[in-house]
Amino acid sequence: MEQQQEEIQAQVETQIIEVQDKAETRDEILLAALKLFAEKGFFNTSLTEIAEAAGVKNTSAVYHHFKNKQAIATQLFANILDSLNISIDDIRRKNQKSSEQLRGIVDLLFKLTDDAPDVMRFLLILKLDEFLPEEKPMLETPAFIKIYKIIQSGIKAGEIRSIDPMLVNAYFFGIINNTLRMVLTGALDKNADAYQSQVWLAAWNAIAKK
Amino acid sequence: MEQQQEEIQAQVETQIIEVQDKAETRDEILLAALKLFAEKGFFNTSLTEIAEAAGVKNTSAVYHHFKNKQAIATQLFANILDSLNISIDDIRRKNQKSSEQLRGIVDLLFKLTDDAPDVMRFLLILKLDEFLPEEKPMLETPAFIKIYKIIQSGIKAGEIRSIDPMLVNAYFFGIINNTLRMVLTGALDKNADAYQSQVWLAAWNAIAKK
DNA sequence: GTCTATACGCCGATAGAC
DNA sequence: GTCTATCGGCGTATAGAC
């Protein structure tokens, strides 16, 4: 009985491990690809390199998980935007005012820049439509539509200046993203966190109703 | 005597035409490459396409003018930065205050966005280090060093807030460049000129001493 | 699901006539 | 200085054994 249970336990563990292995191989590929794309760009990264970095000695293994190189990038793009979208939902639920919601988003972006710079490089630096020409432009994805709505609410509520919401977007994320881009490329030498509070203030002041 | 002069005249004209042809062929290649790079990116553009667009039926003609594909991009980069640098010198000569000099630069960038969008796409949208890895980062080129100096002067003169000049740069050109990027990609639907005065104000206010 | 081996195409680049 | 012709190589992608 005990032995049987142990066997079952062992089987379950094996299954978990197998499942993990499957997931891990796929994830290893995605992770390796993200890193390489962020470092050298999509076109400078060969499938051979991705395979190596993922711990497989072979491009064929990669082709078993993904139709082609583009499909890897597409999946990365979807994953990143999904998790961004979920985070934004969370932020909207926990905060009422547009200013607070934007503050939350800024907090998230700065954290990501320090903790997952490759993700932010993918979002801010790579020219996505060069290798994902059929994907929707970022501004039309759920995450960014929600940001647009936050801005609209802020204007309606009198928190934000009454100008074209798209210009508000341009000002606010112009300051935020450009700063983060400079952190990512090393033009600014401290980590993102060191700049966060002052950059937030500058960005918010650029769009806040006086 | 008259005939001789006519002949000489004809020869000179021929020479001029030939010289023009030489210059034009090279320029045609550069122009075609600029357009194609701006439209589809460096890696999605083949030398065959550049040759066709330049009015030559052949890549060999291109190779006669440039060592390789990279050399075309390098030349484009140098030309654009040179003319930018010259324009900035001109602006600095004609204006005293940092605010006026920055205003002049903004004016230039907005004009370029409407009149030479491909040049601005090359500067703002393309990921240059992906295909020009050995080139100096843009911030280290003469044109941008001068902009940095303008900012430093403005801080010294009390026109601009006393913070890290690099952050001033991030704020100011964050707003300017992000707006222009959105014009270039169509996210903002009017031409750049329609936004210029208000965007200038927003960018200047983000860095001006209150 | 990962390996070996291999096919295939495209594109960058060169040689040489004119 | 532009043409025809052609090479070589890399990188994507597939077939098939294990």
Side-chain angles (χ1 to χ4, degrees):
Chain A
M1 176 72 177
E2 265 196 0
Q3 278 194 349
Q4 210 183 332
Q5 208 157 1
E6 274 174 13
E7 266 179 49
I8 291 170
Q9 180 73 9
Q11 270 188 356
V12 170
E13 276 173 0
T14 305
Q15 277 175 9
I16 290 171
I17 287 166
E18 275 176 6
V19 169
Q20 277 182 341
D21 269 346
K22 278 179 200 169
E24 267 174 24
T25 305
R26 216 187 127 91
D27 277 5
E28 288 296 335
I29 293 170
L30 286 172
L31 212 61
L34 172 64
K35 194 181 169 203
L36 289 165
F37 291 166
E39 265 173 19
K40 330 193 310 170
F42 179 83
F43 294 101
N44 288 322
T45 302
S46 75
L47 277 164
T48 312
E49 287 173 294
I50 295 175
E52 275 172 16
V56 236
K57 300 224 170 78
N58 218 305
T59 63
S60 297
V62 177
Y63 279 102
H64 184 263
H65 291 280
F66 298 95
K67 189 186 140 224
N68 56 28
K69 191 171 149 188
Q70 244 198 35
I72 301 175
T74 305
Q75 188 62 57
L76 277 173
F77 188 56
N79 288 357
I80 290 173
L81 283 182
D82 268 14
S83 92
L84 209 60
N85 190 33
I86 290 168
S87 298
I88 288 176
D89 281 339
D90 200 45
I91 289 167
R92 288 181 90 188
R93 217 178 308 110
K94 287 182 184 157
N95 298 280
Q96 307 286 340
K97 295 165 71 179
S98 293
S99 57
E100 293 167 348
Q101 293 179 345
L102 287 177
R103 188 73 185 79
I105 291 171
V106 168
D107 189 55
L108 171 65
L109 295 178
F110 274 71
K111 271 203 173 57
L112 279 174
T113 301
D114 285 334
D115 299 342
D118 288 337
V119 170
M120 289 303 286
R121 281 193 193 99
F122 197 89
L123 281 175
L124 293 184
I125 296 180
L126 291 195
K127 199 180 164 293
L128 294 175
D129 65 316
E130 204 171 317
F131 53 95
L132 298 177
E134 74 294 343
E135 291 291 305
K136 277 192 289 194
M138 211 139 53
L139 285 173
E140 293 173 20
T141 60
F144 286 85
I145 290 174
K146 276 166 194 163
I147 289 176
Y148 194 79
K149 284 188 179 155
I150 292 174
I151 291 172
Q152 286 180 313
S153 305
I155 294 173
K156 212 169 179 179
E159 273 201 290
I160 296 176
R161 293 165 56 194
S162 295
I163 55 173
D164 181 349
M166 214 54 171
L167 271 184
V168 172
N169 196 311
Y171 298 170
F172 187 80
F173 288 101
I175 289 179
I176 299 295
N177 293 350
N178 204 36
T179 304
L180 295 180
R181 229 177 263 126
M182 285 170 106
V183 169
L184 289 168
T185 59
L188 286 168
D189 54 359
K190 301 180 203 157
N191 60 12
D193 190 57
Y195 301 105
Q196 182 172 356
S197 64
Q198 53 183 321
V199 173
W200 151 258
L201 264 181
W204 175 250
N205 280 330
I207 64 168
K209 204 158 208 165
K210 302 295 152 60
Chain B
M1 179 70 178
E2 264 196 1
Q3 278 194 351
Q4 208 183 334
Q5 207 157 0
E6 275 174 13
E7 266 179 48
I8 292 169
Q9 180 72 10
Q11 271 188 356
V12 171
E13 276 173 1
T14 306
Q15 277 175 9
I16 290 170
I17 288 164
E18 275 176 8
V19 170
Q20 276 182 342
D21 269 345
K22 278 179 200 168
E24 267 173 25
T25 304
R26 217 187 127 90
D27 278 6
E28 289 295 334
I29 292 168
L30 287 171
L31 213 60
L34 173 64
K35 193 180 169 204
L36 289 165
F37 292 165
E39 266 171 19
K40 330 193 308 169
F42 180 83
F43 295 101
N44 288 323
T45 302
S46 74
L47 278 164
T48 312
E49 288 173 295
I50 295 175
E52 276 173 16
V56 236
K57 300 226 170 78
N58 219 306
T59 64
S60 296
V62 177
Y63 278 102
H64 183 262
H65 291 279
F66 298 95
K67 191 187 140 223
N68 56 28
K69 189 170 150 186
Q70 244 197 35
I72 301 175
T74 304
Q75 187 62 57
L76 277 173
F77 188 57
N79 288 356
I80 290 173
L81 284 181
D82 267 14
S83 90
L84 209 59
N85 190 34
I86 290 169
S87 298
I88 288 176
D89 281 339
D90 200 45
I91 289 166
R92 288 181 89 188
R93 218 178 307 110
K94 288 182 183 158
N95 298 280
Q96 308 287 338
K97 294 164 72 178
S98 292
S99 56
E100 292 165 348
Q101 293 179 344
L102 288 177
R103 188 72 186 76
I105 291 172
V106 167
D107 189 54
L108 171 66
L109 295 178
F110 274 71
K111 271 203 174 57
L112 279 175
T113 301
D114 285 334
D115 299 342
D118 288 337
V119 170
M120 289 304 285
R121 280 194 194 97
F122 196 90
L123 282 174
L124 293 184
I125 297 181
L126 292 194
K127 200 178 163 293
L128 294 175
D129 65 314
E130 203 171 319
F131 54 94
L132 298 177
E134 75 292 344
E135 291 291 305
K136 279 192 289 195
M138 211 138 53
L139 285 172
E140 293 174 20
T141 60
F144 286 85
I145 290 174
K146 277 166 193 162
I147 289 175
Y148 193 80
K149 285 188 177 153
I150 293 174
I151 290 172
Q152 286 179 314
S153 304
I155 294 172
K156 212 168 178 181
E159 274 201 289
I160 296 176
R161 293 165 56 194
S162 295
I163 56 174
D164 181 349
M166 214 54 170
L167 270 185
V168 173
N169 195 311
Y171 298 171
F172 187 79
F173 288 101
I175 289 179
I176 299 296
N177 292 349
N178 204 35
T179 304
L180 295 180
R181 230 176 262 125
M182 287 171 105
V183 170
L184 289 168
T185 59
L188 286 168
D189 54 0
K190 299 180 203 157
N191 60 11
D193 189 58
Y195 302 104
Q196 181 172 357
S197 65
Q198 53 183 321
V199 173
W200 151 258
L201 265 182
W204 176 250
N205 280 331
I207 65 168
K209 204 159 208 165
K210 302 293 152 63

